[in-house]
Amino acid sequence: MPFQPVHMEKLSQGVVRQIELLILRGLLRPGERLPSERELAERMGVSRPSLREAIAELQERGLLVTKAGAGVFVANMLGSAFSDALIQLFASHEEAVFDYVSFRRDLEGMAADRAARFGSDTDLMVIDTVFRKMEAAHTKRDPSDEAELDAEFHLAIIEASHNIVMLHMMRAMFDLLRAGVFYNRQQMFKQRITRDQLLEQHRAINDAIQGRDPQEARRSAEAHMTYVENSLSDLRKAQRNEEIARLRYQHELARD
């Protein structure tokens, strides 16, 4: 993690300011453990009392939490992004699913464009590394790893866009997606043909970003989300048809 020596201002406030920025810019992620007190004090060039004072202030403000015997962690603040009542509405109304996909199509197209333009060489290396992991996971029969890497790939692109508002907003949205609020991603990855097409779509996005082609990166990201939307629509129709067939069969049995 890119901690730097603190200079000039009150040391504890310099520590507070630096950790705030690392959290804001997404370099310190929710749930991530900070280095030990000794290591962190050495890396930031401050005394342990100054570090403890800063940590205490950040804990009081809800940015850091201490877990007994485990250390200091970035607080998981994403859970408060949406109220429980709104999350329940998302989960129970199909309209929210397709609005979610539409929202992602717009923002991820923009993120891919920005990643191709503004992403550092390190950012692009991270995106490519995640994609190579997706290729390896694609050969397995269990689609769970591939589904998880799908989220990691998209978040890596959003991180490379260097827009902190977009980053925190989309992390919150992916947190709900992982929890199955909008739809079950693993259902899509269970179908071999769909998995093959999804991998090729991710390859196209990665290739465009690695080639620093913002227009193609945006187009590929938007096309990918359109495919996801159509796949979800087809899946929902198939589920409804199965339910209708089941009810008809039960009705026929009752008549007999």
Side-chain angles (χ1 to χ4, degrees), residues 11 25 32 53 56 60 93 101 103 120 123 218 246 253:
L11 291 179
R25 293 170 181 168
E32 185 170 350
E53 184 179 343
E60 186 176 345
H93 290 271
V101 174
F103 176 81
S120 67
D123 289 329
R218 180 189 288 266
R246 184 184 66 81
L253 287 177

Side-chain angles (χ1 to χ4, degrees), residues 57-74:
E57 179 178 334
L58 291 165
Q59 287 176 319
E60 186 176 345
R61 289 166 51 191
L63 293 174
L64 298 179
V65 295
T66 297
K67 298 180 182 179
V72 179
F73 295 79
V74 179

Side-chain angles (χ1 to χ4, degrees), residues 144-159:
S144 57
D145 287 347
E146 197 171 2
E148 184 58 33
L149 285 166
D150 170 79
E152 190 175 333
F153 177 77
H154 287 284
L155 283 173
I157 293 171
I158 291 163
E159 289 173 354

